[in-house]
Amino acid sequence: MNNARANILARLWTAISPDDLAPFESSVAGSALELSRTERVARLKQRMEAMHAEVVITSANGWIDALKATLRQRLLNGLLYAPDTALGKALAAVWDSDLPPLVGYTETIEQCKERLFAIDASITSTQGGLADVGALILWPDSDEPRLMSLAPALHIAVLDAAKIHDSLAQAIAHEHWREKMPTNILLISGPSKTADIELVLTFGVHGPKELIVLILDG
Amino acid sequence: MANSSVVDFPKNFTKALNDPQLRHNLRSAMDTLGMRRRTLFSDPVSFEQLRATGDEIRQRALRQLPELLEKLEKKCTENGIQVHWAETPAEANQICLEIIQRHNAHRVIKGKSMVSEEMHLNHFLAEHDVEALETDLGEYIIQLDHETPSHIIVPAIHKNRDQIARLFHDKIPNTPYTEVVEELNAIARKVLREKFLAGEVGVSGVNFAVAETGTLCLVENEGNGRMCTTAPPVHIAVMGLEKVVERLDDVPPLLRLLTGSATGQLITTYFNMITSPRKAGEKDGPKEVHLVLLDNGRSKIWADPELRQTLKCIRCGACLNHCPVYTRLGGHAYGYVYPGPIGSILTPQIEGLVNAGAMATASTFCGACEEVCPVKIPITDILRRLRNESYQKVDTPHAVKGHGYKLSVIESLTWKGWALNNMMPWANALSAKLLGLLSAQLPRLPKVGLLKYWGQSRTLPKFAARSLHALAKEKGLRDE
């Protein structure tokens, strides 16, 4: 295998031309989008709804009630949550007995895979959003593991309106991603979908069938 | 499908053209994909600007290729991703197998990857008692039917819902026959969920690899790619070595170009950026992540400044959707993994002209592929280069493998004669006169032999009794 590395790199380094080593002048200027907070919220909502996400604009005080109202309309066997996050603690403090029980993601995947795949719904925080394309940014971590936004059929995401960026380029720059890339970053624009049969768009193929976004605005 | 052997292209395209079902399935799908792309990139000015950016990013990455690969390896290694290098598909397969065997694994779940198709990884693993299951819906469908992808983005596009309904009913136990797309989708979801739970190793491709951070980016809609790269304890990513980009800032424009060109989407459902295996304290994600860098002729292609442009490709499939040849044949007729215009320039360079040179003839030179290419690959120039080198022995270090394979003594002599005939006015005048006189007696164009493909679709012109030269002379025009 070491031979392969040496051979490939030798071939490339040998064939490199003076042109390749000359400075590369960029002729292209990026066009930056500049939106107000209201526009960012509106655009993200419109784009994500077009991708069949359900977007609810609520407030820092009202979101748990909005969540409860949504959950009461459904028959769910549980809500997977992250007990150690601020969001998780807020939920646990005011959870009602008629709601689907909160289930903490507290064990490793090896210990809980089957149970995890059997839970109907999950709730996660988000790192932010992208207004231009309509997407959530998730930085899963030890408290909110990666499968939380993938395995359950319903994923509920809580998004702070102040953390919606104009674009991915802006998010990368403003949050200095390159200096602190986590294990995994996800952009999510809606529920899982496919068009592999006759290009007919259908939702909920392998990931969540439904995505609900609660935007905390004010 | 044929591999590393000479493709009988005439036989393949005759078969494809005479399959009305295939032509219907393809036509409606390609028209839809084209329309969606046009709707998304409706403003030509901003699209051209974006395309120029994409072209520049890919050119900049390729100029620094050896340096970026070393950097990518270094960053990935620092992040805990194990990097492997493979010169050939056989080596890449062996690397994957060894990782799989080290974990005593027999069930591999796969996300869509064209490089793994190039490696014929599934077939190889099956020979070693490892089941590799495709989990992308389209790939799953064709795997059930023992087929290969006919399109690089929508691999089962040659099939319609009736054919898929029949296939599911026949191949998946206890499955009722249904032509409802949502129900077919639900059947696949159910089967594959079980497989996600049981998968021991996940295999994926890579859309972009970012050198400065050591990040692997994956673009998808279904979530199966995320499943394969998150649920099993081991993740193997296979990648053509040209997929590296320099900076994280290079990702947003390329992502927009890729999803827009491929399916007319602003963004896919999921964009998955993987920078390390599971860290201490994290509860899921693979404990091991491996990156396999495959050369398979790419470093040789890279050495030639013109052919190198082939490697700018981001595999969006737009050139397939807009190609008048592809949209009538579908991917299988090409006989190799990468079909359509990009396949027609890439494959002959990898497999050599003797095996795959015929693919370079699958073009009308209409240039639609170049018009839509998000990174401005000069596809027609490269096609022309491949056609030229098919007929010429080239004395340069970067000649395409198999150059001069079509060289024939009869053909060379014919062209020499033609050249001579046109260099000597008397010979030209004589032959024009003879053709004019004999026009009525000339036989029809040959339908067999050397010129049969040329002759089959052409009719012989009627030669004028008197040549243009003669007519001009008569009128007293200067005839030079």
Side-chain angles (χ1 to χ4, degrees), chain B residues 114-180:
Chain B
M114 287 309 295
V115 167
S116 76
E117 297 289 341
E118 190 180 327
M119 291 156 58
H120 298 276
L121 177 64
N122 297 358
H123 181 73
F124 172 82
L125 291 180
E127 286 175 351
H128 294 83
D129 197 26
V130 176
E131 177 205 52
L133 185 86
E134 296 289 349
T135 61
D136 170 88
L137 180 60
E139 293 278 351
Y140 173 69
I141 291 166
I142 56 172
Q143 191 180 32
L144 273 182
D145 214 7
H146 307 288
E147 285 186 313
T148 53
S150 65
H151 189 287
I152 64 178
I153 297 292
V154 276
I157 203 62
H158 56 287
K159 285 193 180 322
N160 63 16
R161 68 185 79 189
D162 312 7
Q163 294 165 314
I164 296 164
R166 177 62 49 205
L167 182 69
F168 277 19
H169 177 65
D170 291 346
K171 298 279 174 77
I172 307 171
N174 307 317
T175 302
Y177 181 90
T178 171
E179 290 174 12
V180 180

Side-chain angles (χ1 to χ4, degrees), chain B residues 353-369:
Chain B
L353 289 166
V354 176
N355 288 334
M359 288 176 81
T361 65
S363 170
T364 65
F365 282 88
C366 74
C369 48

Side-chain angles (χ1 to χ4, degrees), chain A residues 5 22 142 149 192 198 207, chain B residues 63 73 161 189 222 283:
Chain A
R5 180 186 188 279
S142 50
S149 59
S192 149
E198 291 188 14
Chain B
R63 283 162 62 103
E73 180 188 43
R161 68 185 79 189
R189 179 183 171 101
E222 296 184 6
K283 298 187 183 76

Side-chain angles (χ1 to χ4, degrees), chain A residues 1-9 11-31 47 51 84 105-110 112-119 130-135 138 140-155 167-170 172-173 176-209, chain B residues 28-30 32-33 36 49 52-53 56 59-60 62-67 69-70 73 85-87 91 94-95 98 135-139 141 153-157 159-162 164 168 181-182 184-185 188-189 192-193 196-199 212-213 215 221-224 226-227 229-233 241 248-249 251-252 255-256 265-279 281-287 293 295 298-300 302-303 308 398:
Chain A
M1 294 320 132
N2 286 332
N3 272 347
R5 180 186 188 279
N7 293 345
I8 293 167
L9 285 172
R11 267 199 299 278
L12 293 174
W13 281 118
T14 311
I16 206 155
S17 74
D19 277 355
D20 295 328
L21 299 169
F24 188 78
E25 297 294 332
S26 169
S27 55
V28 184
S31 64
R47 297 272 198 239
M51 286 301 116
D84 291 336
Y105 195 148
T106 53
E107 295 165 288
T108 64
I109 174 78
E110 287 75 19
C112 68
K113 207 178 204 177
E114 301 217 353
R115 274 174 287 148
L116 190 74
F117 273 71
I119 294 175
L130 305 175
D132 65 340
V133 292
L138 270 73
D141 59 16
S142 50
D143 288 327
E144 280 188 348
R146 294 157 72 170
L147 285 169
M148 281 185 84
S149 59
L150 185 64
L154 166 64
H155 172 214
S167 63
L168 177 58
Q170 196 194 61
I172 291 173
H176 309 285
W177 284 18
R178 50 192 292 270
E179 291 144 38
K180 51 176 185 193
M181 288 294 280
T183 304
N184 183 219
I185 292 181
L186 295 163
L187 305 182
I188 300 179
S189 67
S192 149
K193 62 177 180 284
T194 185
D196 274 350
I197 301 176
E198 291 188 14
L199 297 179
V200 176
L201 194 60
T202 46
F203 287 85
V205 58
H206 299 302
K209 297 176 179 179
Chain B
S28 57
M30 295 303 111
T32 307
L33 286 171
R36 286 185 189 161
Q49 194 186 14
T53 308
E56 188 185 296
Q59 279 198 48
R60 172 159 47 77
L62 287 173
R63 283 162 62 103
Q64 313 173 69
L65 186 63
E67 191 186 332
L69 287 171
E70 288 176 355
E73 180 188 43
W85 303 68
E87 291 201 76
E91 281 181 20
Q94 194 58 39
I95 291 167
E98 278 169 21
T135 61
D136 170 88
L137 180 60
E139 293 278 351
I141 291 166
I153 297 292
V154 276
I157 203 62
K159 285 193 180 322
N160 63 16
R161 68 185 79 189
D162 312 7
I164 296 164
F168 277 19
V181 173
E182 286 75 10
L184 291 168
N185 188 26
R189 179 183 171 101
L192 291 170
R193 277 254 148 172
F196 289 132
L197 272 173
E212 72 171 353
T213 57
T215 300
N221 281 310
E222 296 184 6
N224 68 304
R226 285 185 62 198
M227 287 283 187
T229 58
T230 315
L241 53 74
L248 205 54
D249 291 340
V251 169
L255 175 61
R256 174 69 59 87
Q265 288 179 282
L266 260 176
I267 188 167
T268 43
T269 308
Y270 301 115
F271 185 58
N272 185 1
M273 306 175 87
I274 298 165
T275 305
S276 84
R278 188 193 310 187
K279 294 195 186 90
E282 291 177 347
K283 298 187 183 76
D284 61 17
K287 290 174 176 168
L293 296 169
D295 183 343
R298 288 165 172 83
S299 58
K300 187 172 178 291
W302 182 84
R308 178 191 290 186
H398 308 317

